[in-house]
Amino acid sequence: MNDRRTALKILASGVIAFPILADDGSKYTAKVFDTRQLELLAELTDRIIPRTDTPGAADAGVPLLIDRLTNQSPEAAAQWKELLAWFSAQGDTSAARLAVLETISTESGTLGARYFKMLKETTIDQYYATKAGLEQELGWHGSTYLPEFIGCTHPEHQINESKG
């Protein structure tokens, strides 16, 4: 590197290529979803990661991040529009859609189960790429490391090696 300008260009290209901390989408205008679809997506993503003492998925801008992600692929945009149309057809109220989410979260091999998996995985991926997810939820500020990671401590998530 001959000069500071070259170094800055290299650093900037890395930030663009690997956005570790996504912004909240506030400067992004939806290109794939209309207002009604974004509202439904906000409702659904907030069911996956609700607001607690930290922002929920919609607060963190996850619906717009999903729009940005799907804007890169016509196939992905079509899949998400199908998912949203399917959820819209499941009920006219938030309570009805919540009941559907609860049901399909325990299914396997159904269209609903596939949509739930897609919604859940993408919501989690996008949320934990935001400042709200990384800094506020996880407490990660980029300048720290864990000397040890014990993993999940919930008893129901532990593997009992004696059972096989």
Side-chain angles (χ1 to χ4, degrees):
M1 284 177 251
N2 295 336
D3 60 22
R4 189 172 68 190
R5 181 171 285 152
T6 303
L8 290 172
K9 285 181 184 177
I10 291 169
L11 287 172
S13 68
V15 170
I16 293 167
F18 302 103
I20 294 172
L21 254 157
D23 64 25
D24 64 2
S26 61
K27 295 176 185 137
Y28 176 80
T29 303
K31 294 173 179 48
V32 175
F33 306 123
D34 61 29
T35 303
R36 184 182 51 78
Q37 291 168 323
L38 283 172
E39 288 171 357
L40 177 57
L41 194 52
E43 174 192 320
L44 295 172
T45 58
D46 260 359
R47 295 295 189 177
I48 303 296
I49 302 178
R51 179 183 304 141
T52 57
D53 57 334
T54 59
D59 297 328
V62 170
L64 285 175
L65 292 172
I66 293 173
D67 185 278
R68 184 184 301 177
L69 182 69
T70 59
N71 188 42
Q72 299 171 12
S73 164
E75 295 83 20
Q79 286 179 332
W80 277 93
K81 285 185 175 190
E82 286 174 20
L83 177 148
L84 293 171
W86 186 85
F87 272 106
S88 283
Q90 300 306 307
D92 292 338
T93 66
S94 180
R97 289 185 292 272
L98 175 59
V100 169
L101 273 174
E102 289 172 347
T103 300
I104 64 175
S105 71
T106 61
E107 296 177 348
S108 63
T110 66
L111 182 61
R114 184 174 70 101
Y115 286 153
F116 180 78
K117 182 178 187 227
M118 188 170 124
L119 175 67
K120 182 179 176 183
E121 288 177 354
T122 306
T123 299
I124 291 168
D125 287 347
Q126 295 305 303
Y127 180 77
Y128 287 106
T130 66
K131 186 174 185 173
L134 283 173
E135 290 183 5
Q136 291 178 272
E137 179 88 16
L138 298 178
W140 184 80
H141 298 281
S143 61
T144 59
Y145 73 96
L146 296 174
E148 178 183 20
F149 183 73
I150 59 170
C152 178
T153 58
H154 294 99
E156 65 271 19
H157 297 152
Q158 303 305 305
I159 297 173
N160 187 342
E161 294 183 18
S162 65
K163 289 185 178 179

